[in-house]
Amino acid sequence: MSLLATATPTISAHFSAPLVPSSHAHRRSVAAPLRRIRRPRLVTVVASVPDPAAGPVEYTPWLIAGLGNPGNKYYGTRHNVGFEMVDRIAREEGITMNTIQSKSLLGVGSIGEVPVLLVKPQSYMNYSGEAIGPLAAYYQVPLRHVLLVYDDMSLPNGVLRIQRKGGHGRHNGLQNVIEQLDGRREFPRLSIGIGNPPGKMDTRAFLLQKFSSEERVQIDTALEQGVDAVRTLVLKGFSGSIERFNLVQKYKFHRV
Amino acid sequence: MATAPLASRSLLAPAQQSHPRLPASLRLDLSYHKQPSANPKRRRHHAPLHPAFSAVARGRAKKILIPDTDEPAAGVRVTDRGLSYHLDGAPFEFQYSYTEAPRARPVALREAPFLPFGPEATPRPWTGRKPLPKSRKELPEFDSFVLPPPGKKGVKPVQSPGPFLAGMEPRYQAASGEEVLGEPLTKEEVAELVKGSLKTKRQLNMGRDGLTHNMLENIHSHWKRKRVCKIKCKGVCTVDMDNVCRQLEEKVGGKVIHRQGGVIFLFRGRNYNYRTRPCFPLMLWKPVAPVYPRLVKKVPDGLTPDEATEMRTRGRQLPPICRLGKNGVYINLVKQVREAFEACDLVRIDCSDLNKSDCRKIGAKLKDLVPCILLSFEFEHILMWRGSDWKSALPPLEENNFEVTKAQECFIIKELNEKDRRSRTVLTQIELAGIATSQKNCNLGEGEEKLKDTMKPNHGSDMVLSSAMEVPGLFHSTGIPVTEPSAEAPTECSPLNPVCDFMDPSLKSTLNCQSVPSDKSENRGLVEKSLDHSARSEHCQDLEPHAGVTSISHDLETQRNCRSKVPSYMVGVLSLLEQAIDSGRALVLSEDELVNSDLVYQKCVAFTKSIPRGQVSKYTQSKSSARRNGPDKHIRTKKHLVENKLSSSHVENKDNANGGLAVQKNGHEQEFLSDVVPQGTLRVDELAKLLA
């Protein structure tokens, strides 16, 4: 119907008579067929800047899973940043995680108008896939809407990165998830950088250590930024703002 | 460097030159006290010296200032790209290197200019051997279109010309470059050519000198035998790969069909004939590079000396953005430097593994490509400044930008929608205020100032402050009984409402965070609902009375509303959740159990063990079929979003369909070969017989 509404000026100019919108219908049959076929392009509103009032890109649910080890012993360790991020998101969005299903703790809620499942697998890290895979299947979440939040040793401490797809980078949790999803790697991820182990430290010991105080501060700021980023991702999908976010994060410590 | 006066030398310089030396008698005495200044090799001063060891070669390089005339010597031109040699009849001016010549005009020459193409005019004495006598054997002229017969022995392999498109004749008399190239290659032809040449061991290497003049001849000799020449670039020349490809196509006349990292694949042309290729004279000597203007100015333009030193001291603490390895591929370096300039005005690159001259060369290239100003090369790092007239390449931020927080000030300063964004972040922080960190406090302070401009005079900033301080208390109170918020809500609604007046209607989508109705989140739901109402009722213009009159009954009503009204987009997921709870696959924990993560874990383990096995294994199969039906499913959810009944029935249908499909697929798999073959007990030969 907007087709007709915006085509009015041209047609009316052609006929040199003011056309009332109601009478437009029968006029349409006379000359508009030619016009309509030839000029659909002029009518569509092409916005280079997305309309802020528009709703989310897609209404299909998202499954945001944070990888980590359950229990108080592993609370606050480097390998558990995924849990911390998911906790943060739950707090910010007011979603309570109070359901146990498929070996994980989950909470159902929404960000804006998009339903969201927040999942914290309670199987240990190496078996996270067995918790997440069946959940995604049960709630019929498409693979491109499964967001995995995990720690990444290839990024410096406190740097976040959102990727559309990727590999596992020797992360046991990710490996298990990829295996359980039949080898599919095209799910988005949010990796939280924790830096390399210093010197010849054992990797596993490094991962199960808690953060130092300066690192803790960096991670806290990173978590805040990450929550914003997750919101943008869920509402807008992968767009220029995600690339910009990645760039900002990459150079956020580059100042003197 | 010696600043010698203008030394006029003829082209044929004498072999010997006088240079200050102590008389022979004194030299022996001094040798006890000082290190030998001459070369430590045992020298017979009195024997006739070989011209290579003469002072001409050994002495300090004397600079020759370039005269004003264009050509200091026959054919040698000083251009903005260094030295170029002009020969009559040549298609273009020759240079030593076509890609690595610095884009600056040389200031002085280091030796007398000469044409390096032949032994005729050179000031250096000839130190080589006599050329070998030419072979008497008559070699037939090589013509690409006249190939040796395939069976002939003793012939090196030659690829035929082509590839030719169907129906087109090879052009034997291809004269110009475009004719030699022929039609543009189709995608399939390109793929085929590239696939054939990806793994060749024959390749040309391009290093710090880039595309040299003699390399042109090498490329032609490659093309004599093969259609595609593989050139591997490493090191300095990879900083500007685009220029390399452009120069290759111009000077050699081929076409770059594929680029992969630092490797270039150069196609010779459909109608290439080695016999009619352009022949260039080879450069027999490497000309000494002229003197170029300094790369690093002590005080760059637009800076005072103090500012320059301050920048250099700052640069010493800056962490480098990357570390360059020797002979690496640096194609992303320019892009990384440009990105890094968005974050900070100084950039440092670690060049510890490189040669010093390579480090300078990379610095010079970066100076031209990323336009920037080099500040220093100390400690084997390159320190660059982006310049005072630097413009950000990032597009201005969109309106609804969530991810940029206050921490990223240097990005924020350049925004256009500053005001809108700040007012929104203030509101989101009021809504979702966590622990009030110092950052957020000053954010609120900043946001208030912005709001002051936009708000009407009667709503002062103190109301915003008070609401901000009160609201966090409200949101973080757990276990508040239902009746309490009714008392607090009136005070909450009124200060928040005027703020809502100035919100865009779009904001309500961002603030409208619904959650599963539960005891804890009821308060939230209430306040959000009232916010929602207030935002939506802007058009109804009953804002003020709505905000003012919040009686207890009204609150209870809204509570009841938000409890019963489940938004349409949540229906599918919530119904699945309810089904899971009902069928025993899921368990809802109460609040006190959620506190301790150990407790949660134990409950989870206990619960998982109590589930019957059959239900768990079903998920993976339905997962695979759900994935396959993914695209249709989400289209369907979009369409039936509003209607409750349809979507719930759709969910049920999906389940049945999935189950049915899964069962069918399983059965189908079992059927095949099940009666013939006992699973896994066949030997290979029997299997082969069955499958043949």
Side-chain angles (χ1 to χ4, degrees):
Chain A
M1 293 308 112
S2 64
L3 192 84
L4 294 175
T6 44
T8 328
T10 53
I11 298 178
S12 64
H14 181 77
F15 283 109
S16 68
L19 283 175
V20 178
S22 56
S23 65
H24 206 66
H26 63 268
R27 286 282 191 181
R28 179 163 40 115
S29 56
V30 176
L34 295 169
R35 293 276 167 181
R36 208 171 358 134
I37 292 166
R38 234 190 282 151
R39 300 229 193 171
R41 281 177 272 131
L42 276 183
V43 168
T44 51
V45 177
V46 176
S48 53
V49 174
D51 186 14
V57 176
E58 269 187 278
Y59 288 93
T60 28
W62 279 77
L63 185 129
I64 302 180
L67 298 182
N69 291 311
N72 282 335
K73 180 172 154 197
Y74 297 107
Y75 178 78
T77 57
R78 290 202 163 93
H79 219 24
N80 268 34
V81 267
F83 273 15
E84 291 185 28
M85 176 63 108
V86 166
D87 281 335
R88 200 61 182 263
I89 299 175
R91 210 162 71 203
E92 303 266 324
E93 300 294 330
I95 301 174
T96 38
M97 303 181 65
N98 55 4
T99 317
I100 292 184
Q101 185 181 351
S102 164
K103 293 196 248 188
S104 54
L105 182 68
L106 72 101
V108 178
S110 78
I111 297 179
E113 294 189 348
V114 183
V116 142
L117 280 105
L118 292 175
V119 175
K120 293 204 303 195
Q122 299 290 310
S123 62
Y124 283 91
M125 177 65 92
N126 287 8
Y127 304 105
S128 319
E130 295 170 11
I132 295 175
L135 257 189
Y138 180 74
Y139 285 99
Q140 295 164 2
V141 177
L143 194 66
R144 61 182 195 281
H145 277 205
V146 173
L147 179 74
L148 241 61
V149 185
Y150 63 98
D151 54 304
D152 196 351
M153 283 200 290
S154 60
L155 293 171
N157 191 60
V159 170
L160 303 173
R161 186 163 64 187
I162 297 186
Q163 285 167 298
R164 255 199 173 124
K165 58 174 181 171
H168 51 73
R170 294 187 318 268
H171 190 284
N172 284 334
L174 264 190
Q175 277 178 3
N176 193 258
V177 169
I178 290 175
E179 195 188 304
Q180 285 290 323
L181 295 176
D182 293 341
R184 304 276 295 269
R185 313 175 351 165
E186 297 91 21
F187 49 88
R189 314 100 189 281
L190 170 63
S191 24
I192 306 177
I194 52 175
N196 279 321
K200 292 205 176 158
M201 185 171 181
D202 187 22
T203 322
R204 292 163 296 185
F206 176 74
L207 287 174
L208 296 178
Q209 249 186 3
K210 308 222 184 208
F211 287 104
S212 69
S213 42
E214 301 95 10
E215 289 178 348
R216 190 73 244 177
V217 167
Q218 287 177 337
I219 292 283
D220 286 335
T221 38
L223 289 180
E224 279 173 35
Q225 295 161 4
V227 173
D228 282 338
V230 168
R231 253 186 234 133
T232 326
L233 178 64
V234 166
L235 290 176
K236 304 282 171 203
F238 277 97
S239 59
S241 46
I242 297 292
E243 285 169 20
R244 200 200 190 97
F245 169 76
N246 282 341
L247 225 94
V248 165
Q249 288 292 317
K250 185 173 170 191
Y251 293 104
K252 75 177 182 182
F253 296 129
H254 183 253
R255 60 189 64 227
V256 80
Chain B
M1 281 298 160
T3 49
L6 186 76
S8 53
R9 297 158 94 195
S10 60
L11 280 178
L12 302 167
Q16 303 271 353
Q17 244 197 14
S18 63
H19 87 120
R21 270 177 16 183
L22 291 171
S25 53
L26 279 177
R27 223 175 292 126
L28 283 170
D29 297 331
L30 290 171
S31 62
Y32 289 107
H33 306 289
K34 282 189 201 163
Q35 303 244 339
S37 51
N39 53 359
K41 280 195 203 140
R42 190 173 47 86
R43 282 178 47 191
R44 302 258 180 90
H45 311 293
H46 311 289
L49 280 174
H50 194 279
F53 299 129
S54 72
V56 170
R58 203 171 25 89
R60 285 253 190 97
K62 293 198 171 124
K63 275 196 225 165
I64 304 165
L65 293 174
I66 299 168
D68 285 332
T69 57
D70 228 355
E71 300 201 6
V76 180
R77 285 212 187 115
V78 176
T79 61
D80 282 333
R81 291 289 205 119
L83 287 181
S84 69
Y85 306 104
H86 178 78
L87 288 181
D88 294 330
F92 48 83
E93 292 212 346
F94 299 146
Q95 285 177 294
Y96 170 67
S97 160
Y98 296 106
T99 58
E100 297 300 308
R103 294 178 202 188
R105 204 176 163 81
V107 163
L109 299 176
R110 291 215 168 95
E111 63 170 11
F114 66 100
L115 285 176
F117 296 103
E120 299 89 35
T122 154
R124 304 181 197 171
W126 174 249
T127 55
R129 293 194 195 166
K130 281 211 188 104
L132 291 170
K134 277 195 161 317
S135 67
R136 301 293 163 93
K137 186 171 171 193
E138 263 299 320
L139 289 167
E141 200 182 359
F142 188 93
D143 190 328
S144 294
F145 287 103
V146 177
L147 293 173
K152 185 150 183 199
K153 288 194 187 169
V155 164
K156 289 188 201 164
V158 178
Q159 266 188 333
S160 60
F164 295 113
L165 292 170
M168 298 206 47
E169 259 209 357
R171 302 197 51 166
Y172 298 106
Q173 262 80 42
S176 72
E178 292 81 25
E179 288 179 9
V180 167
L181 275 182
E183 294 290 308
L185 289 172
T186 60
K187 275 195 189 152
E188 297 85 21
E189 289 176 331
V190 167
E192 197 192 315
L193 283 172
V194 167
K195 190 167 155 220
S197 48
L198 264 180
K199 286 203 175 169
T200 40
K201 302 235 172 65
R202 276 195 121 98
Q203 66 182 33
L204 280 178
N205 297 318
M206 203 189 284
R208 56 175 70 95
D209 279 333
L211 181 66
T212 52
H213 181 77
N214 292 349
M215 202 167 170
L216 304 179
E217 185 59 38
N218 285 348
I219 294 176
H220 279 287
S221 61
H222 259 74
W223 280 343
K224 184 180 182 187
R225 305 270 167 198
K226 281 198 164 283
R227 289 180 188 165
V228 176
C229 177
K230 179 176 169 188
I231 303 177
K232 201 162 205 167
C233 306
K234 278 191 183 175
V236 178
C237 58
T238 51
V239 175
D240 194 5
M241 284 298 285
D242 292 326
N243 186 32
V244 170
C245 291
R246 214 181 312 135
Q247 294 294 327
L248 274 172
E249 294 193 343
E250 276 176 23
K251 308 291 192 246
V252 187
K255 186 107 173 59
V256 173
I257 50 173
H258 187 59
R259 258 170 70 177
Q260 190 170 334
V263 188
I264 300 177
F265 292 93
L266 208 55
F267 176 59
R268 66 186 181 186
R270 294 181 194 262
N271 310 307
Y272 175 79
N273 193 345
Y274 184 72
R275 189 166 58 87
T276 53
R277 78 185 192 283
C279 278
F280 303 124
L282 290 178
M283 257 195 215
L284 301 177
W285 288 273
K286 178 176 176 177
V288 176
V291 182
Y292 289 101
R294 286 191 73 88
L295 275 179
V296 173
K297 285 193 201 164
K298 272 246 159 60
V299 178
D301 298 329
L303 285 184
T304 60
D306 293 328
E307 281 176 357
T309 39
E310 183 256 331
M311 276 189 175
R312 289 188 177 112
T313 27
R314 257 173 63 207
R316 282 183 203 122
Q317 272 103 41
L318 190 64
I321 58 166
C322 59
R323 181 170 181 165
L324 301 180
K326 189 161 176 239
N327 281 339
V329 177
Y330 317 128
I331 39 180
N332 290 326
L333 190 62
V334 172
K335 187 169 141 234
Q336 281 180 2
V337 170
R338 281 194 191 133
E339 285 170 3
F341 274 144
E342 308 276 348
C344 183
D345 59 343
L346 294 176
V347 161
R348 206 161 174 233
I349 298 179
D350 192 344
C351 300
S352 330
D353 300 326
L354 294 180
N355 291 352
K356 272 218 179 109
S357 53
D358 286 352
C359 178
R360 308 283 191 268
K361 284 180 186 172
I362 292 180
K365 289 185 103 112
L366 286 175
K367 186 168 88 109
D368 295 322
L369 291 171
V370 178
C372 67
I373 296 174
L374 296 171
L375 284 182
S376 84
F377 282 114
E378 55 186 9
F379 308 127
E380 289 161 31
H381 285 246
I382 308 178
L383 181 66
M384 293 176 275
W385 177 50
R386 69 187 178 197
S388 45
D389 51 347
W390 172 82
K391 278 188 197 53
S392 164
L394 290 175
L397 287 174
E398 305 164 3
E399 296 238 341
N400 235 0
N401 200 343
F402 292 105
E403 80 273 10
V404 181
T405 63
K406 297 294 182 182
Q408 307 300 324
E409 282 173 54
C410 52
F411 287 76
I412 291 163
I413 292 168
K414 284 154 190 132
E415 279 170 27
L416 302 175
N417 306 316
E418 228 182 348
K419 213 173 16 170
D420 279 351
R421 201 184 48 79
R422 286 204 182 169
S423 62
R424 265 187 219 117
T425 44
V426 167
L427 289 170
T428 49
Q429 279 158 7
I430 291 173
E431 265 279 327
L432 312 162
I435 304 147
T437 59
S438 56
Q439 262 188 350
K440 286 196 181 145
N441 278 337
C442 57
N443 293 344
L444 281 174
E446 278 177 313
E448 276 161 35
E449 286 162 358
K450 292 291 172 189
L451 268 180
K452 262 191 219 166
D453 304 338
T454 55
M455 278 163 75
K456 288 180 190 162
N458 31 348
H459 306 297
S461 57
D462 38 9
M463 244 202 290
V464 180
L465 242 186
S466 60
S467 65
M469 288 309 127
E470 284 171 13
V471 168
L474 174 67
F475 283 103
H476 287 277
S477 53
T478 56
I480 288 181
V482 173
T483 50
E484 254 192 73
S486 57
E488 292 181 12
T491 52
E492 294 311 319
C493 285
S494 36
L496 281 172
N497 281 336
V499 176
C500 299
D501 278 346
F502 304 97
M503 275 169 17
D504 290 341
S506 63
L507 249 189
K508 73 170 147 74
S509 65
T510 69
L511 295 178
N512 187 12
C513 301
Q514 302 281 343
S515 62
V516 178
S518 64
D519 289 345
K520 260 211 260 182
S521 52
E522 248 176 288
N523 319 328
R524 268 190 84 84
L526 167 67
V527 183
E528 281 165 351
K529 270 293 161 196
S530 55
L531 261 182
D532 232 1
H533 283 306
S534 56
R536 276 194 216 120
S537 60
E538 270 178 16
H539 346 288
C540 311
Q541 288 178 356
D542 55 344
L543 192 58
E544 291 309 318
H546 184 86
V549 178
T550 36
S551 59
I552 296 178
S553 55
H554 176 71
D555 299 336
L556 284 176
E557 231 181 72
T558 48
Q559 281 168 33
R560 247 179 274 127
N561 284 345
C562 67
R563 240 182 296 175
S564 56
K565 183 183 186 311
V566 171
S568 51
Y569 46 84
M570 290 295 299
V571 164
V573 183
L574 288 176
S575 63
L576 278 174
L577 180 69
E578 279 167 29
Q579 278 176 24
I581 297 174
D582 292 334
S583 63
R585 284 191 216 123
L587 172 73
V588 182
L589 297 176
S590 60
E591 277 172 35
D592 45 329
E593 289 169 333
L594 284 178
V595 170
N596 196 0
S597 46
D598 277 335
L599 203 60
V600 169
Y601 172 62
Q602 281 157 20
K603 284 252 159 195
C604 184
V605 168
F607 178 67
T608 315
K609 284 187 181 156
S610 66
I611 298 178
R613 277 281 172 163
Q615 291 181 335
V616 175
S617 57
K618 196 167 122 190
Y619 297 154
T620 43
Q621 287 164 6
S622 57
K623 164 73 184 161
S624 41
S625 44
R627 245 186 288 124
R628 248 177 274 126
N629 297 331
D632 345 321
K633 165 179 62 73
H634 87 255
I635 294 170
R636 252 180 271 155
T637 43
K638 259 195 191 165
K639 283 191 197 155
H640 300 293
L641 212 46
V642 185
E643 293 145 311
N644 270 353
K645 216 162 66 164
L646 266 174
S647 50
S648 55
S649 62
H650 140 76
V651 162
E652 281 161 37
N653 283 340
K654 256 348 274 186
D655 264 351
N656 292 340
N658 285 348
L661 266 175
V663 165
Q664 267 179 17
K665 181 186 165 213
N666 260 348
H668 196 63
E669 273 180 354
Q670 298 290 334
E671 270 172 28
F672 179 67
L673 287 185
S674 60
D675 45 350
V676 180
V677 170
Q679 297 291 337
T681 56
L682 265 191
R683 286 201 316 260
V684 177
D685 43 358
E686 289 175 80
L687 246 183
K689 274 190 227 150
L690 272 172
L691 292 170

